[in-house]
Amino acid sequence: MTELKGKAVHYTEIEALEVGEPAKNAKIRWLIDRENDGAPVYALRMIELEPGGYSPHHQHDWEHENFVVEGKGQLLIEDTWHDLYPGVVGFVPPNVMHQFKNTGDTTLKFLCGIPAEL
């Protein structure tokens, strides 16, 4: 594990990586994580969905905590769509089917917290 050193950088200094299939027009920035920062408990990511972009429709054993920074979109939790816009927070419990999609004409950006141990 990386030695804990702390960090303070602008998020754009962190590379935006293509998510790839089955996502569409999706990028992820690992803002704080165990591998690069030694964060022992939690990882923070910036997800960026271009217009028409979406995440896979999926589920997994961990929760998501989300905060919308900019753009417009929707979050599917089980069978209900929820509108996303700046300032909206979202919580996706473990093992629940979910999907994010951009419904606007600019990039949808949201913070996504997950356990660091993944």
Side-chain angles (χ1 to χ4, degrees), residues 4 8 11 13 20 22 44 46 48-49 78 101 103 110 112 114:
L4 296 176
Y11 82 95
E13 294 179 40
L44 183 62
M46 171 75 77
E48 301 176 12
L49 301 177
E78 298 256 322
K101 71 177 181 179
T103 59
F110 59 93
C112 181
I114 60 171

Side-chain angles (χ1 to χ4, degrees), residues 20-66:
E21 295 291 330
K24 178 182 175 190
N25 297 334
K27 293 183 180 177
I28 184 170
R29 296 177 197 262
W30 288 88
L31 304 177
I32 301 169
D33 64 2
R34 181 173 282 176
E35 181 179 339
N36 296 304
D37 306 304
V41 179
Y42 214 63
L44 183 62
R45 311 171 304 170
M46 171 75 77
I47 309 297
E48 301 176 12
L49 301 177
E50 296 297 326
Y54 53 81
S55 72
H57 184 233
H58 66 294
Q59 66 183 30
H60 37 66
D61 294 338
W62 59 89
E63 65 193 58
H64 284 305
E65 285 88 13
N66 305 107

